[in-house]
Amino acid sequence: MLRILFLYLSKAKWANNLITHWGFAWRAASRFVAGEDNEQALIIASQLNSEGFRIALDPLGEHTNTTDAAIAAADEIVGLLDKINQNSVNSYVSIKLSQLGLLFDETLCYSLLKKILLKAKETGLFIRVDMEDSSITNKTIETTIWMRSIYQNVGVVIQSYLYRSESDVFTVLKELIPVRMVKGAYNEPKEVAYPNKADVNENFDKLSQIILKSNLKFQKLDSSPLHPPILAIATHDEPRIKNLLDFARINGFEKLDFEIQMLYGIRRDLQEKYLDLGYPVRIYIPYGTHWYPYFMRRLAERPANVWFFLSNIFK
Ligand SMILES: Cc1cc2nc3c(=O)[nH]c(=O)nc-3n(C[C@H](O)[C@H](O)[C@H](O)COP(=O)(O)OP(=O)(O)OC[C@H]3O[C@@H](n4cnc5c(N)ncnc54)[C@H](O)[C@@H]3O)c2cc1C
């Protein structure tokens, strides 16, 4: 119930307006969000780089509904690519298509993407397209395939809670597009997504293994050193990580054949554990003033976070 409530609140404009005006809300959100601008996020990214972590920076924003806001989001991404390059930060950039106007003006979105891809090409940096709710899964996959035809250093995200995901995995692997495997963070009806956690977990393991097995073919065709591995498993669920590590070991894969990704502010102990064991660990660092929906999704994932949020009222 709490999960559904917070996922509803993540999309409710009235709640966004209300909650973002409470000072304590930002105090609580800043556990998961690295700052309100890229300067603060880059400082944290460099610090984590020096500890050995790879980074994915996420300039927060989604469901943009004006041309000006979409252009501003693209400008932020382009500026971030420049700063990552100038400061030699080991990071790529994660973007959301709805932040670039996909939902109200596809032509605008594609022209902004071209601008971003040009900068990515110039700086040699990788762009990951985050996956949003199932109403735009098709468009996200189609657009990522189009992006790859312009600049090959792009990747996508697949959600194991969707029934369609196995077929999507084969579609993107055919195009040699690297995948970040996640469980899925949105509220989806049982017509499109597994309602039971056990099924989501089983599908996560199965799809991760399919992707990893495609690795050898992928490496032969694309050996660019800037390209991240074909598979990143993005989870804080240790059994998911252990299952993949076992599968990789039994099948002769090496530690560098895949990445483990986790979110900034969540399970720091696990992040350090797998880094110390010699696996590549990438931390996803969101930043920016549009932190509200991201923060609500993090509250939805874990009831304990709600108490943490409320405890900030009294601080
Ligand atoms: C790097 C990265 C990128 C992502 N990108 C996307 C994307 O593009 N699209 C998308 O739909 N989803 C994305 N997600 C979110 C993902 O779909 C899940 O919602 C999220 O990772 C929680 O699921 P879990 O795999 O950690 O497992 P769960 O079973 O939800 O959690 C396992 C354990 O992890 C810890 N944990 C999980 N979430 C939290 C939290 N919020 N606060 C504190 N502890 C927590 C708890 O200890 C929990 O018991 C991403 C996640 C990561 C790590």
Side-chain angles (χ1 to χ4, degrees):
M1 280 309 279
L2 216 52
R3 179 174 181 271
I4 291 172
L5 172 69
F6 278 93
L7 289 178
Y8 158 75
L9 289 177
S10 74
K11 291 198 162 173
K13 260 209 170 89
W14 65 266
N16 185 333
N17 291 336
L18 185 72
I19 293 175
T20 47
H21 282 96
W22 295 340
F24 71 85
W26 166 245
R27 217 167 38 235
S30 61
R31 176 185 150 190
F32 305 107
V33 178
E36 292 201 289
D37 60 38
N38 61 35
E39 295 292 334
Q40 292 166 297
L42 283 162
I43 291 171
I44 292 175
S46 298
Q47 170 62 36
L48 288 168
N49 274 171
S50 69
E51 293 171 28
F53 293 105
R54 303 172 181 186
I55 302 297
L57 281 161
D58 167 25
L60 288 167
E62 55 199 86
H63 290 265
T64 298
N65 55 11
T66 67
T67 302
D68 285 351
I71 292 173
D75 287 346
E76 174 62 32
I77 294 164
V78 167
L80 178 65
L81 287 164
D82 263 336
K83 286 190 184 174
I84 290 174
N85 189 39
Q86 285 154 11
N87 295 296
S88 305
V89 179
N90 180 354
S91 176
Y92 65 62
V93 177
S94 270
I95 64 171
K96 287 187 175 58
L97 297 182
S98 78
Q99 123 188 86
L100 298 168
L102 182 77
L103 302 180
F104 73 93
D105 186 345
E106 270 187 43
T107 311
L108 170 72
C109 177
Y110 274 57
S111 82
L112 295 175
L113 281 171
K114 270 192 187 153
K115 202 171 142 188
I116 291 167
L117 292 173
L118 261 174
K119 182 55 77 177
K121 204 173 202 167
E122 185 190 314
T123 52
L125 295 171
F126 179 79
I127 301 286
R128 175 86 65 184
V129 181
D130 283 357
M131 190 57 81
E132 300 179 68
D133 67 57
S134 64
S135 68
I136 58 166
T137 307
N138 268 341
K139 275 190 182 165
T140 304
I141 290 176
E142 281 165 22
T143 305
T144 311
I145 293 172
W146 169 81
M147 288 168 70
R148 190 166 155 91
S149 72
I150 295 181
Y151 175 55
Q152 69 166 15
N153 218 356
V154 298
V156 76
V157 178
I158 299 286
Q159 298 153 324
S160 71
Y161 64 14
L162 294 184
Y163 302 132
R164 57 174 288 164
S165 287
E166 182 167 351
S167 154
D168 290 338
V169 160
F170 287 112
T171 303
V172 298
L173 285 181
K174 214 164 69 201
E175 304 289 334
L176 303 177
I177 294 176
V179 176
R180 174 199 293 150
M181 193 72 227
V182 300
K183 291 188 186 178
Y186 298 85
N187 191 21
E188 299 291 358
K190 63 179 186 314
E191 288 72 30
V192 301
Y194 293 105
N196 299 321
K197 252 193 156 189
D199 294 323
V200 177
N201 289 343
E202 194 184 321
N203 205 31
F204 186 103
D205 294 347
K206 177 182 169 191
L207 300 185
S208 301
Q209 293 173 9
I210 291 174
I211 297 163
L212 187 61
K213 273 195 293 191
S214 74
N215 192 33
L216 292 177
K217 185 173 144 225
F218 180 77
Q219 280 186 344
K220 255 188 233 155
L221 291 167
D222 189 342
S223 57
S224 156
L226 285 169
H227 222 301
I230 187 72
L231 172 67
I233 52 160
T235 182
H236 316 90
D237 186 6
E238 201 166 12
R240 308 280 70 68
I241 300 174
K242 283 188 171 160
N243 283 355
L244 185 78
L245 299 194
D246 287 347
F247 175 84
R249 204 173 31 251
I250 291 164
N251 289 280
F253 288 98
E254 292 174 12
K255 287 178 174 171
L256 292 179
D257 287 337
F258 55 93
E259 267 181 9
I260 299 168
Q261 299 191 355
M262 294 186 217
L263 300 176
Y264 174 70
I266 298 182
R267 292 302 307 261
R268 179 75 187 176
D269 58 328
L270 272 193
Q271 298 172 5
E272 281 168 7
K273 173 176 170 181
Y274 286 99
L275 187 72
D276 290 347
L277 287 171
Y279 291 96
V281 179
R282 191 180 295 272
I283 312 293
Y284 181 102
I285 303 185
Y287 73 88
T289 50
H290 301 291
W291 46 265
Y292 171 80
Y294 178 87
F295 177 47
M296 286 297 121
R297 289 197 291 275
R298 302 295 77 81
L299 294 185
E301 278 158 6
R302 197 154 185 255
N305 289 341
V306 180
W307 303 119
F308 162 75
F309 172 52
L310 294 176
S311 71
N312 274 273
I313 301 175
F314 304 105
K315 276 190 186 159

